[in-house]
């Protein structure tokens, strides 16, 4: 417990990664959240071990310490510092772990002195795959999930091929293998990612995996208004495909926040594709998604 002395605590937390939470997390809830990122996460005394990182037990912070941490408008928060066990975790997993915990428990993350509200950016939902799949394996699973395209935009996709309403672009440059573009969403297939803890249990024999990233189509200012309806329609279609109906999530939340509606639609696509392609749906920070609503912030608060 030496690390949380009044003198050393602000400096240790400021370097982070640290999850700053509005209430003391229940140990079982905190473990359940950690197991979304690493199914083999386990308790170790008062701490939790997950993906080569130690989630230290929560410590109560009050006004004076919070001011030193750059969070002056809060009277009380609970801090869970994430410490690497041995070498730094793969792909900065400790930072993703702090952000993911804060995201699901309605808090902030702190790393290198910079407070971050992870709820401001849900990121792109992902699908983990053991290897890059061929177009003939992916295209049948897409259906209308990305929004149907009537013709290829040759200026944007000069090498694109229209197949059943989806533009397939073979990239084969750097990490990107293929891109599948619809009217509202884009699926980018990336190869050569080191295997994250969420996939290690499923594919223990692999050292790297492929990732399918579900993102929104970039729009110009002239077409934003027109395309907003198209994006919403794709989100609704994806929601229907994944079995989302009124009452599955807090309707007030998704109706009041268009960004969350769009994020929920992309998560529905990721979950649907993970089922069809036998992959693993996850959020941008590597936390598994059992259902689309799991992508919404504050899910475990």
């Amino acid at each position: 417990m030496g690390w949380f002395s009044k003198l050393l605590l602000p400096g240790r937390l400021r370097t982070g990664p640290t999850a700053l939470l509005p209430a003391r997390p229940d140990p079982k809830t905190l473990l359940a959240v950690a197991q979304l990122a690493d199914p083999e996460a386990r308790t170790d005394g008062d701490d939790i071990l997950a993906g080569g990182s130690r989630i230290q037990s929560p410590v109560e912070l009050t006004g004076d310490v919070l001011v030193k941490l750059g969070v002056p408008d809060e009277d009380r928060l609970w801090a869970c510092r994430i410490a690497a066990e041995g070498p730094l975790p793969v792909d900065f997993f400790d930072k993703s772990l702090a952000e993911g915990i804060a995201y699901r428990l309605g808090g902030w993350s702190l790393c290198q002195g910079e407070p971050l509200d992870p709820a401001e950016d849900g990121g792109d939902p992902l699908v983990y795959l053991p290897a890059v799949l061929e177009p003939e394996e992916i295209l049948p699973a897409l259906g209308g999930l990305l929004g149907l395209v009537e013709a290829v935009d040759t200026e944007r996709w000069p090498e694109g091929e229209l197949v059943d309403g989806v533009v397939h672009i073979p990239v084969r440059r750097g990490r990107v293998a293929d891109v599948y573009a619809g009217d509202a969403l884009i699926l980018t297939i990336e190869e050569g990612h080191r295997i994250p803890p969420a996939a290690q249990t499923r594919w223990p024999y692999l050292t790297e995996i492929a990732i399918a990233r579900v993102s929104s189509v970039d729009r110009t200012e002239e077409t934003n208004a027109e395309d907003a309806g198209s994006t919403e329609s794709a989100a609704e279609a994806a929601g229907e495909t994944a079995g989302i109906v009124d009452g599955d999530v807090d309707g007030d939340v998704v109706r009041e926040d268009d960004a969350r509606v769009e994020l929920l639609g992309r998560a529905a696509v990721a979950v649907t594709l993970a089922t069809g392609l036998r992959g693993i749906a996850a959020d941008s920070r590597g936390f598994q998604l059992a259902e689309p609503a799991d992508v919404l912030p504050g899910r475990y608060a």
Side-chain angles (χ1 to χ4, degrees):
M1 295 177 65
W3 70 268
F4 79 92
S5 71
K6 285 290 184 181
L7 184 61
L8 297 178
L9 178 58
R12 296 295 296 274
L13 294 180
R14 188 179 294 112
T15 56
T18 299
L20 300 175
L21 308 174
R24 183 184 181 94
D26 174 77
K28 292 182 179 179
T29 300
L30 188 58
L31 177 61
V33 171
Q35 287 173 338
L36 296 176
D38 178 8
E40 296 184 348
R42 59 181 177 83
T43 57
D44 183 42
D46 294 332
D47 301 338
I48 294 173
L49 297 179
S53 297
R54 178 176 294 274
I55 306 170
Q56 297 180 346
S57 59
V59 175
E60 185 180 13
L61 307 180
T62 53
D64 56 338
V65 175
L66 290 173
V67 169
K68 293 179 181 179
L69 292 176
V71 192
D73 297 329
E74 296 288 345
D75 295 327
R76 177 177 300 175
L77 292 174
W78 293 84
C80 291
R81 185 171 182 267
I82 316 297
E85 292 281 287
L88 288 177
V90 171
D91 294 333
F92 302 102
F93 179 72
D94 53 347
K95 182 175 182 292
S96 298
L97 193 59
E99 291 183 7
I101 291 172
Y103 186 84
R104 279 162 176 74
L105 293 174
W108 294 66
S109 70
L110 185 66
C111 187
Q112 296 181 342
E114 182 180 357
L116 169 71
D117 182 0
E120 293 181 354
D121 182 11
D124 291 334
L126 311 171
V127 179
Y128 295 148
L129 300 168
V132 173
L133 300 179
E134 296 299 324
E136 53 267 27
E137 297 176 279
I138 292 181
L139 285 166
L142 293 179
L145 292 178
L146 306 182
L148 297 179
V149 176
E150 295 182 357
V152 178
D153 182 348
T154 55
E155 291 186 5
R156 183 181 179 91
W157 312 116
E159 300 179 359
E161 176 189 10
L162 186 61
V163 183
D164 296 330
V166 176
V167 181
H168 171 229
I169 307 97
V171 180
R172 306 296 173 180
R173 288 195 302 269
R175 191 171 261 185
V176 177
D178 293 280
V179 173
Y180 299 87
D183 179 62
L185 301 176
I186 290 180
L187 187 72
T188 304
I189 310 298
E190 303 172 1
E191 58 186 349
H193 285 267
R194 285 181 288 186
I195 188 165
Q200 185 70 54
T201 303
R202 174 84 68 88
W203 303 303
Y205 49 87
L206 296 179
T207 57
E208 63 181 33
I209 61 170
I211 287 180
R213 188 180 306 275
V214 183
S215 55
S216 298
V217 173
D218 293 331
R219 300 300 190 176
T220 63
E221 293 182 2
E222 290 79 8
T223 58
N224 273 342
E226 178 183 349
D227 292 332
S230 174
T231 301
E232 184 175 350
S233 297
E236 291 174 355
E240 292 172 0
T241 303
I244 300 177
V245 295
D246 291 342
D248 284 351
V249 296
D250 187 341
D252 291 337
V253 171
V254 294
R255 278 191 294 269
E256 292 173 2
D257 190 339
D258 290 342
R260 292 190 181 189
V261 172
E262 197 271 345
L263 176 60
L264 185 62
R266 289 188 289 129
V269 170
V271 171
T272 301
L273 288 177
T275 301
L277 300 176
R278 298 184 180 180
I280 299 172
D283 68 7
S284 62
R285 299 173 177 93
F287 286 63
Q288 293 180 79
L289 305 176
E291 57 182 286
D294 289 342
V295 80
L296 296 177
R299 183 72 164 155
Y300 285 73

